[in-house]
Amino acid sequence: MAINEALRGIRAGHGGPFGSVIVKNGAVVGAGHNSVFLECDPTAHGEIMAVRDACRTLGTFDLSGCTVYTNSEPCPMCRAALCWAKADRVVYSSTVREAGEIAGFKDPDMYESLRGGGDLIPSVRIKTEGYLEPFEEYRKMKGPVYG
């Protein structure tokens, strides 16, 4: 199903060759394919689109009890999103190395940089007046902690 989702997306011109389905209790609750071109959104990867679909279907941001099936090993962004969503496990077929070698995707380079402690985008911390205020107010509101 994930492979068919990937094929559907590339044949429609929506984005790269990546598709995912999310299953809970034996039923598909979400599906998505790479829609980077369609959405003009670099985060619209197959796994992200499937997570969004599953969360809408289930009415929650917590995908505990779900298995994500994807045709390729998730990139660092998608892997992190699946962790935030609390998916139980990921099942994939191709590796990021294969995706890079066959289709030219740069995921292997990102993996290597992140594994080595590299920073792909320079970051600078600036402490501005009131920078902790949103966190303090949220704590006072007793907002749910979802991470």
Side-chain angles (χ1 to χ4, degrees):
M1 290 177 75
I3 293 167
N4 287 336
E5 190 67 33
L7 291 169
R8 184 174 20 263
I10 61 170
R11 291 172 181 162
H14 292 173
F18 304 98
S20 299
V21 294
I22 299 178
V23 175
K24 184 170 188 172
N25 298 324
V28 174
V29 295
H33 55 262
N34 185 292
S35 297
V36 168
F37 304 151
L38 177 68
E39 301 291 333
C40 295
D41 178 355
T43 68
H45 290 195
E47 296 91 339
I48 302 294
M49 301 304 285
V51 164
R52 291 173 182 167
D53 189 39
C55 288
R56 277 190 300 270
T57 297
L58 297 172
T60 183
F61 55 82
D62 185 339
L63 297 181
S64 295
C66 293
T67 298
V68 179
Y69 294 91
T70 184
N71 72 306
S72 185
E73 184 178 7
C75 73
M77 175 187 70
C78 291
R79 186 173 296 281
L82 296 172
C83 288
W84 280 110
K86 299 182 181 137
D88 281 8
R89 71 183 184 136
V90 177
V91 177
Y92 64 90
S93 50
S94 69
T95 66
V96 292
R97 184 134 330 271
E98 289 168 321
E101 290 171 356
I102 296 169
F105 289 92
K106 303 296 181 206
D107 296 33
D109 297 336
M110 285 186 212
Y111 265 95
E112 292 309 313
S113 178
L114 293 171
R115 281 187 187 131
D119 194 356
L120 300 173
I121 300 174
S123 300
V124 177
R125 181 179 184 190
I126 299 174
K127 293 182 182 181
T128 59
E129 185 177 330
Y131 75 103
L132 293 176
E133 185 176 346
F135 303 105
E136 292 165 350
E137 185 169 328
Y138 197 74
R139 180 184 63 209
K140 289 176 188 171
M141 293 171 57
K142 297 187 188 315
V145 178
Y146 51 87

